[in-house]
Amino acid sequence: LAALLRDDDGPLSGLNCERLTGLPELLAGQVVRNILADLAGDLRQFERQHVEHVLDLARDGSPGKEIVLVRGVHVYRDYDRVLFALGPVGLPGFASVDLPVPGQVCLAEPGVQLTATIEARHGRPLAELLLERDRWTEWLDAEATGRTLRVRPRRPGDRLTPLGAPGVRKLQDFLTDRRLSRFRRDGWPLLTAGGRIAWVVGLGIAEPFKVTKKTCKLLKLQAHWQGHEPETSALNPSQRSEDTA
């Protein structure tokens, strides 16, 4: 039964809150015990109150809330699931690094390789480019971005103009809209051009850098994750509003 309720995030064990809390109390408790036993190796020191705390978190916890049980087990409330881990749940930050164009850079944390290549457009319509784009592949206007690209984590006060948005937004609000887990935000890669955020990797690009009818030179960006690919709730690229060049 636990397998049917599993909603893992990479190496983190997870349970879907709605499905878990929809079970009879005794059965829901047994599912939680199974997850704890798998994580810790056995149920020593885990008591009924610990299971109840997890179920309360699944029922009423706000996203981002975290509880600590015993034996180093942390339980974190994501948007629609609870995640279990040995130790604090969080994606560590990383040092900013330049991304050469063309070229690539590997970030041990958060475990991603970013690649940048330049291609001539040769009159290719945007619809054709969209066929080659997915969550981890983006096309930008190479002349708008220039060749000074940098990859960094978020900073206090970060803002961007999301694609199709009427104005500037706080990055924090953008990440919330995209339902990026709070534990991932400090270590999530941002690609900047000329000091401005151009691509929140896997979640969206900024309006000033989009491909338009006037774009002649394309910047192709790709992200390749090492190991588990993180889950996000970003829109499918084909659903995003863009200039129909």
Side-chain angles (χ1 to χ4, degrees):
L1 178 60
L4 298 177
L5 303 179
R6 294 292 287 265
D7 191 2
D8 297 346
D9 189 334
L12 302 179
S13 300
L15 291 172
N16 181 276
C17 292
E18 183 177 358
R19 294 198 292 266
L20 177 63
T21 57
L23 294 174
E25 185 80 12
L26 290 177
L27 192 54
Q30 186 57 52
V31 170
V32 171
R33 291 185 183 89
N34 289 343
I35 291 288
L36 295 175
D38 287 344
L39 188 64
D42 55 56
L43 289 173
R44 286 181 297 113
Q45 300 182 32
F46 290 104
E47 300 178 0
R48 179 178 178 180
Q49 63 181 356
H50 298 127
V51 175
E52 292 176 348
H53 290 332
V54 174
L55 293 176
D56 287 342
L57 187 65
R59 292 189 195 98
D60 305 314
S62 57
K65 184 175 181 180
E66 186 174 8
I67 59 175
V68 182
L69 303 182
V70 293
R71 297 177 62 186
V73 173
H74 291 235
V75 188
Y76 173 90
R77 174 61 191 261
D78 201 2
Y79 287 96
D80 52 7
R81 59 187 170 181
V82 284
L83 298 172
F84 300 76
L86 286 176
V89 180
L91 192 64
F94 57 92
S96 301
V97 62
D98 290 333
L99 173 60
V101 181
Q104 65 183 33
V105 64
C106 293
L107 303 173
E109 294 291 348
V112 65
Q113 174 183 289
L114 298 177
T115 303
T117 56
I118 296 290
E119 296 185 20
R121 186 170 187 178
H122 296 308
R124 297 170 66 189
L126 182 60
E128 182 180 323
L129 297 177
L130 288 176
L131 294 176
E132 300 180 26
R133 192 172 72 165
D134 57 30
R135 182 170 296 176
W136 308 114
T137 302
E138 281 289 0
W139 294 96
L140 301 183
D141 186 314
E143 293 183 356
T145 60
R147 290 179 178 258
T148 305
L149 304 182
R150 192 161 183 81
V151 184
R152 65 169 177 83
R154 68 174 179 170
R155 297 171 181 166
D158 269 339
R159 296 173 181 269
L160 77 159
T161 304
L163 180 66
V168 177
R169 298 199 64 200
K170 294 180 180 179
L171 176 64
Q172 177 176 324
D173 293 341
F174 177 83
L175 298 178
T176 298
D177 288 348
R178 290 296 191 269
R179 294 169 63 87
L180 181 66
S181 298
R182 293 187 182 186
F183 78 89
R184 289 192 177 279
R185 295 181 186 179
D186 285 341
W188 197 258
L190 309 174
L191 184 133
T192 66
R196 296 185 295 169
I197 296 174
W199 185 30
V200 182
V201 174
L203 299 178
I205 66 173
E207 179 75 18
F209 304 99
K210 71 178 183 180
V211 174
T212 70
K213 295 177 181 178
K214 297 181 179 180
T215 300
C216 297
K217 192 180 296 184
L218 301 166
L219 173 66
K220 185 177 184 180
L221 298 169
Q222 293 178 291
H224 303 280
W225 292 89
Q226 302 161 5
H228 296 279
E229 180 179 298
E231 294 184 14
T232 68
S233 297
L235 293 174
N236 184 285
S238 63
Q239 296 175 306
R240 303 174 191 163
S241 173
E242 279 213 31
D243 192 320
T244 54

